[in-house]
Amino acid sequence: MTVTKHFVLAAGGTGGHMIPAHALAAELISRGHRVALITDARGAKIPGLFDGAQVHILPAGRLTKNPLSWPGAAKGIYEGRAMALRLYNDFEPSAVIGFGGYPAFPALLAALKAGVPSAVHEQNAVLGRVNRLLAARVDAIATAYPNVTRMKPEWNGKTHLVGNPVREEILAIRQQGFPPLDDNGIFRVLVTGGSQGASILSRVVPDGLGMLPLNFRRRLQVTQQCRAEDIEAVRQRYEQLGVPADLATYLPDLPDRLSWSHLVIGRAGASTIAELTAAGRPAILIPLPSATDDHQTANVREMVAAGGARSIAELDFTPVELAKQMQKLGLDPSALANAARRARACGRPEAGRDLADVVESLSPAAIPPAPIKLKPAFA
């Protein structure tokens, strides 16, 4: 019989942190546990996430390289920790799990102060800043990749390779297989820049597709996520090219779009790669060069080495280069299907289950811990 436990998940307000936290929450709730989320205002606004979980917005404080920002950041972290401690006194968590991002920092500091078991999950192939600060002190480290830089050998004993949890709607695509494609069939392309879109995709992709041979271009059907300021120019360009294109600033039905796509063009964020490999969809990926520690370039290496994706550095991402890579992948249906199989082989579809197993193991007691004895706030 499963004993109900209480778990707190803490994640920064971007899709890369929030989506795996959401997937873990769904798995834990399905096992009969209670879940609370700590995030910031951005995370709380992402639609469709954390049904059935309590959501708490806490101040976090963002540490930057500018010393002038440090007093304000420290104040935010301190206030966030105090609020998290009060939450833990009411919620009595069996464990606290951080997914990176600044809102996770005070939540985990509170867990360490209160003696609550804790863990971090790293979605990227480079250990993130917040997770680096706490990795030595938490009870477990879960990773999405077998090789993660910025990890220390002394942490190996508490490190677990689980993958990056994805939504159930994405896992369902894995069972459907790659959509049929022949030499004359409709070729469906999905272009997505992550939760915020990417202007470079709006500038390059339409012109790149316009350089394809006419017989290939006539087969295209494009779905593209664009920023609001780019969408009308992109729409006009596709109309000039005669390429059918469905454009939106947000794709709430992204899993459905992904299910019938033959090729994805996008950034190399952790959630994007986790979803591509879980679903088994080949891709052309353009790592974001400004990503912290260039982690998107590291993220894509496993999928590229397996033959499931091609990576183009942003400086080299031109219409000519995109058209060249599109033809290499798209003109041979068997090659594209093979790339899809190789992408699928990189997937870790049991990531949500495996991460939940790690989380449950942190607190084997049959009852939640006793309430935390609090000192006055900000003590």
Side-chain angles (χ1 to χ4, degrees):
M1 177 180 174
T2 301
V3 176
T4 298
K5 298 180 182 180
H6 298 177
F7 295 103
V8 171
L9 312 187
T14 66
H17 299 307
M18 295 290 289
I19 289 175
H22 164 78
L24 175 62
E27 175 67 22
L28 291 171
I29 290 171
S30 75
R31 298 184 183 194
H33 303 305
R34 291 181 61 199
V35 174
L37 168 72
I38 289 175
T39 188
D40 57 11
R42 293 180 305 159
K45 291 179 181 177
I46 297 177
L49 302 183
F50 291 94
D51 292 338
Q54 300 179 20
V55 178
H56 303 269
I57 299 174
L58 267 62
R62 183 182 179 89
L63 292 171
T64 70
K65 294 181 180 179
N66 181 5
L68 296 177
S69 70
W70 294 352
K75 182 175 184 293
I77 293 168
Y78 205 55
E79 290 176 350
R81 189 192 70 159
M83 292 175 68
L85 283 168
R86 291 195 289 271
L87 168 64
Y88 299 168
N89 194 53
D90 293 334
F91 193 69
E92 299 179 0
S94 299
V96 177
I97 303 89
F99 285 81
Y102 288 96
F105 192 46
L108 286 164
L109 288 177
L112 293 169
K113 180 176 177 61
V116 176
S118 59
V120 294
H121 178 268
E122 180 54 61
Q123 300 90 53
N124 294 297
V126 180
L127 194 64
R129 186 176 300 164
V130 167
N131 286 349
R132 285 202 302 271
L133 289 171
L134 296 167
R137 301 178 64 191
V138 298
D139 298 291
I141 302 169
T143 67
Y145 293 91
N147 298 306
V148 178
T149 59
R150 299 290 188 101
M151 293 279 287
K152 295 183 178 180
E154 56 263 36
W155 301 337
N156 289 347
K158 61 179 180 181
T159 299
H160 309 265
L161 173 61
V162 300
N164 198 1
V166 299
R167 296 167 286 178
E168 286 295 330
E169 301 96 312
I170 300 295
L171 292 177
I173 302 172
R174 190 176 181 86
Q175 309 306 319
Q176 297 172 14
F178 190 64
L181 180 67
D182 58 39
D183 292 331
N184 299 308
I186 294 175
F187 190 102
R188 297 182 176 91
V189 180
L190 173 64
V191 185
T192 174
S195 58
Q196 302 299 318
S199 288
I200 191 170
L201 299 180
S202 295
R203 295 194 302 271
V204 173
V205 173
D207 287 345
L209 299 185
M211 291 181 173
L212 294 172
L214 184 60
N215 64 329
F216 190 4
R217 193 167 73 238
R218 284 176 172 170
R219 297 169 51 205
L220 294 175
Q221 187 174 73
V222 178
T223 297
Q224 183 161 346
Q225 178 197 13
C226 305
R227 289 184 174 178
E229 61 267 30
D230 300 328
I231 194 165
E232 285 308 315
V234 174
R235 193 186 314 279
Q236 291 176 18
R237 184 59 180 138
Y238 279 124
E239 288 176 355
Q240 292 169 359
L241 294 169
V243 174
D246 184 5
L247 309 179
T249 56
Y250 178 67
L251 298 173
D253 57 345
L254 181 62
D256 185 55
R257 307 278 187 155
L258 182 62
S259 70
W260 49 251
S261 295
H262 296 107
L263 180 70
V264 175
I265 302 172
R267 290 297 196 186
S271 287
T272 295
I273 292 178
E275 292 182 349
L276 290 171
T277 55
R281 293 296 182 269
I284 295 174
L285 300 172
I286 303 90
L288 177 68
S290 61
T292 306
D293 298 316
D294 197 21
H295 65 251
Q296 289 201 4
T297 297
N299 288 350
V300 80
R301 287 176 185 149
E302 182 183 37
M303 195 176 176
V304 168
R310 294 173 182 266
S311 179
I312 306 174
E314 185 166 302
L315 286 175
D316 301 324
F317 185 53
T318 63
V320 171
E321 182 63 21
L322 176 60
K324 182 171 69 175
Q325 297 298 336
M326 280 282 295
Q327 290 182 79
K328 288 180 179 179
L329 273 173
L331 289 178
D332 182 353
S334 62
L336 194 66
N338 183 52
R341 286 191 294 271
R342 291 172 179 267
R344 190 178 188 275
C346 294
R348 296 181 174 89
E350 304 297 340
R353 182 201 67 186
D354 293 344
L355 181 56
D357 289 345
V358 171
V359 167
E360 284 185 328
S361 73
L362 294 175
S363 181
I367 57 173
I372 302 162
K373 295 182 178 180
L374 288 176
K375 294 180 180 179
F378 313 117

